[in-house]
Amino acid sequence: MKCLMVAGGTVDINQLKEVYKSNPDLYVIGVDRGGLVLCENEIKTHKLIGDYDSLSLEEKKTVFDFVKKSADSCVIEELIPEKDDTDTEHAFRFALTLKPEEIIMMGCTGTRMDHTYACIRMLKLAAQAGIKAYILDRTNRIRVIREGISLSKDDQFGKYISLFPYGDSVCVSLKGFKYEVEDMILTSDISRGVSNEFADSEGIISIKDKNDYVIVMETCD
């Protein structure tokens, strides 16, 4: 089972529909305003989570009425605005308890860079749990990895692959890329890991210390 989370950031509707149609066994979670997006596009939703402070009373009524009219049951979890986590983090932690094969996070990027940054950081929770998870929008696929990963050129999201240490620094080795390195130290204050490309059919990213994490961004701009 795969899980699709739709939050309140920027969502490419055509991409959302593509993801939904190409994954028939999806558990769908609407996060705050993301629930309205799912409602407006009549996408079957299993759970709604949020404090709904980003919705007008009319928009909130539209979402809840849609759920009530749905033939399939949908659980509504209404949070209070005054809390220690964001709606998206609360929903993401719930998604992890489902132990899905994969978590696809949409609506997690946009003009609110604070929310975007927070969403990228929380991907570490999935890496710790051994669950594949990534943020997806029209031009980016973002994940956090531990130990390493093998990427296939056939499955590449975009031309460029960029790496950033999750902490202050990380030691990585790269094979199958245009710029190959062995035990290179990436630090958080340099941009050396930006804009690599595939050179072979497979690109391998290895992390020397198994306790370290790397942010991997694939971009098609």
Side-chain angles (χ1 to χ4, degrees):
M1 181 264 289
K2 295 183 180 181
C3 182
L4 170 65
M5 283 177 48
V6 180
T10 302
V11 178
D12 184 293
I13 300 304
N14 289 331
Q15 185 184 35
L16 173 61
K17 291 179 178 179
E18 289 171 8
V19 169
Y20 184 69
K21 290 179 181 178
S22 60
N23 295 279
D25 189 25
L26 273 179
Y27 186 98
V28 181
I29 303 172
V31 186
D32 206 69
R33 193 170 188 83
L36 180 64
V37 174
L38 293 168
C39 165
E40 291 175 337
N41 290 278
E42 299 186 344
I43 291 177
K44 178 182 175 181
T45 304
H46 297 85
K47 187 160 185 171
L48 293 172
I49 298 176
D51 55 26
Y52 305 104
D53 61 354
S54 63
L55 297 179
S56 66
L57 291 177
E58 183 178 349
E59 289 172 329
K60 183 177 177 180
K61 183 177 184 300
T62 297
V63 174
F64 284 23
D65 285 348
F66 173 76
V67 169
K68 291 176 183 177
K69 292 177 183 177
S70 175
D72 300 293
S73 61
C74 174
V75 177
I76 299 175
E77 183 177 356
E78 191 162 2
L79 309 174
I80 61 172
E82 299 81 13
K83 54 189 183 299
D84 294 331
D85 58 1
T86 63
D87 294 340
T88 306
E89 181 186 340
H90 191 94
F92 187 59
R93 288 183 180 274
F94 168 74
L96 291 173
T97 67
L98 300 175
K99 298 182 179 179
E101 172 191 348
E102 182 175 299
I103 301 175
I104 306 165
M105 303 168 66
M106 302 184 72
C108 292
T109 58
T111 57
R112 284 292 301 269
M113 292 307 297
D114 51 349
H115 280 290
T116 298
Y117 183 73
C119 287
I120 293 173
R121 301 294 295 184
M122 72 179 67
L123 285 169
K124 179 183 177 182
L125 297 173
Q128 288 175 324
I131 296 174
K132 179 181 178 181
Y134 54 88
I135 294 169
L136 184 68
D137 63 23
R138 178 47 68 184
T139 54
N140 302 279
R141 183 167 64 183
I142 306 168
R143 70 187 85 188
V144 170
I145 64 169
R146 184 181 187 181
E147 297 185 15
I149 193 172
S150 174
L151 300 176
S152 170
K153 189 174 183 179
D154 291 337
D155 184 49
Q156 71 180 106
F157 184 77
K159 180 179 180 182
Y160 301 109
I161 299 171
S162 299
L163 309 180
F164 303 91
Y166 189 90
D168 291 332
S169 64
V170 66
C171 182
V172 297
S173 297
L174 306 176
K175 294 182 179 180
F177 293 98
K178 181 177 180 180
Y179 304 106
E180 292 193 332
V181 295
E182 185 72 25
D183 290 341
M184 177 182 71
I185 303 296
L186 279 179
T187 61
S188 59
D189 56 352
I190 63 171
S191 59
R192 188 176 177 185
V194 174
S195 297
N196 211 333
E197 302 175 32
F198 277 103
D200 298 325
S201 59
E202 180 185 38
I204 299 174
I205 303 169
S206 302
I207 304 173
K208 189 170 185 178
D209 189 331
K210 294 183 178 181
N211 294 315
D212 285 339
Y213 297 83
V214 171
I215 300 169
V216 181
M217 296 188 180
E218 301 171 76
T219 60
C220 58
D221 275 358

